[in-house]
Amino acid sequence: MILPAAMMDLAFDEARAGLAEGGIPIGAALFTIDGVLLGSGRNRRVQQGDPSLHAEVDAFRAAGRQRDYRSTVMVTTLSPCWYCSGLVRQFNIGSLLVGECRTFSGGHDWLADNGVEVTVLDDDRCVAMMSAFIAEHPDVWHEDIGLAP
Amino acid sequence: MILPAAMMDLAFDEARAGLAEGGIPIGAALFTIDGVLLGSGRNRRVQQGDPSLHAEVDAFRAAGRQRDYRSTVMVTTLSPCWYCSGLVRQFNIGSLLVGECRTFSGGHDWLADNGVEVTVLDDDRCVAMMSAFIAEHPDVWHEDIGLAP
């Protein structure tokens, strides 16, 4: 049984890889509840010029077609925005593991209210990486969450 | 000024193209409020084996990086699911034009409650195409909306 901290390590590695590519450092992974990795990904707005590839969507995509998400865990370094929260809710992903919700707070409470098992780790590494990115690149970050100038 | 019916024609053509490819017949397009097409797309779960490509996401992706969505219109042949409704809300897409909400009702009322200008055309062509697909391929349809067996 893989521990939540190990799941988050993998999502954090994705975020770090995104940062190294010049991208927004948010990483995600979809696991089965037993700890089998189905797919992982990262935000690729900058790298691929693709605004649809939020980290959670990239991980969901990497996992391919699945028939039942109820026993899966979406792991993400940052509280999911409405887009990614909607993904979790629509596909009945059973659990959500969040790195932090200090730099951005999305729909994780809404998901908890709608039956998703939500855990927020408040991981200092995630906070530090995201805080630094937002301070350096506020325009790219605001674009990524639909905040117009 | 392009009329809503003409915008829906384009989304419907996308849905029809998807059906011809063996896919789920849902189409979408993102326009400026003045009727300039920014991008269009269709559900590509079957064609590309990609569960993340709901029609609205495909159209959003095709439009590329944009800095401000407030004066844009998301046009979709079918009421958007939570995933696609979350997309509209997060990116502050100003208007939503829906073909029909009889075969599936997603988050269009939630979006209206949250400031999006929502119009439902109740387009018989959309209803007929989607009804026939659901009757023929219930498993693929249920997979597309996260309804486990």
Side-chain angles (χ1 to χ4, degrees), chain A residues 24-107:
Chain A
I24 303 170
I26 305 170
L30 188 69
F31 286 92
T32 67
I33 201 78
D34 299 320
V36 177
L37 178 66
L38 298 173
S40 68
R42 51 187 179 262
N43 189 300
R44 298 185 199 261
R45 168 178 295 273
V46 174
Q47 298 94 311
Q48 297 189 10
D50 185 343
S52 78
L53 287 179
H54 274 198
E56 296 90 330
V57 173
D58 198 40
F60 178 79
R61 185 187 195 188
R65 289 173 64 174
Q66 303 283 339
R67 200 58 195 84
D68 188 345
Y69 293 91
R70 288 174 298 181
S71 295
T72 65
V73 186
M74 177 63 84
V75 184
T76 174
T77 56
L78 184 64
S79 173
C81 76
W82 286 118
Y83 173 41
C84 298
S85 296
L87 177 79
V88 170
R89 180 165 177 187
Q90 186 63 49
F91 289 96
N92 286 304
I93 292 173
S95 305
L96 174 72
L97 182 63
V98 175
E100 60 107 353
C101 59
R102 276 192 266 164
T103 62
F104 174 79
S105 185

Side-chain angles (χ1 to χ4, degrees), chain A residues 45 50-51 57 60-61 64-65 67-68 81-83 86 89-92 139 143-148, chain B residues 45 50-51 57 60-61 64-65 67-68 70 81-83 86 89-92 139 143-148:
Chain A
R45 168 178 295 273
D50 185 343
V57 173
F60 178 79
R61 185 187 195 188
R65 289 173 64 174
R67 200 58 195 84
D68 188 345
C81 76
W82 286 118
Y83 173 41
R89 180 165 177 187
Q90 186 63 49
F91 289 96
N92 286 304
D139 287 357
E143 181 189 317
D144 198 55
I145 51 171
L147 207 57
Chain B
R45 170 179 294 273
D50 185 343
V57 173
F60 179 80
R61 183 187 195 189
R65 289 173 63 174
R67 199 60 195 83
D68 188 346
R70 288 174 299 182
C81 76
W82 286 118
Y83 173 41
R89 181 166 177 185
Q90 186 62 49
F91 289 95
N92 286 305
D139 287 356
E143 180 189 316
D144 198 55
I145 51 171
L147 205 59

Side-chain angles (χ1 to χ4, degrees), chain B residues 12 99-100 102-103 121-131:
Chain B
F12 184 76
E100 60 106 354
R102 274 193 267 164
T103 62
L121 294 179
D122 198 31
D123 186 316
D124 287 332
R125 297 172 305 174
C126 298
V127 175
M129 187 179 279
M130 200 60 205
S131 299

Side-chain angles (χ1 to χ4, degrees), chain B residues 2-22:
Chain B
I2 185 171
L3 293 171
M7 291 184 180
M8 189 54 66
D9 283 349
L10 195 145
F12 184 76
D13 286 347
E14 285 280 357
R16 192 159 46 186
L19 186 67
E21 293 164 348

Side-chain angles (χ1 to χ4, degrees), chain B residues 9-68:
Chain B
D9 283 349
L10 195 145
F12 184 76
D13 286 347
E14 285 280 357
R16 192 159 46 186
L19 186 67
E21 293 164 348
I24 303 171
I26 305 171
L30 189 69
F31 286 92
T32 69
I33 201 80
D34 300 320
V36 177
L37 178 66
L38 298 172
S40 67
R42 52 187 177 262
N43 189 300
R44 297 185 199 262
R45 170 179 294 273
V46 174
Q47 298 95 312
Q48 297 188 10
D50 185 343
S52 77
L53 288 179
H54 274 197
E56 297 90 330
V57 173
D58 198 41
F60 179 80
R61 183 187 195 189
R65 289 173 63 174
Q66 303 281 339
R67 199 60 195 83
D68 188 346

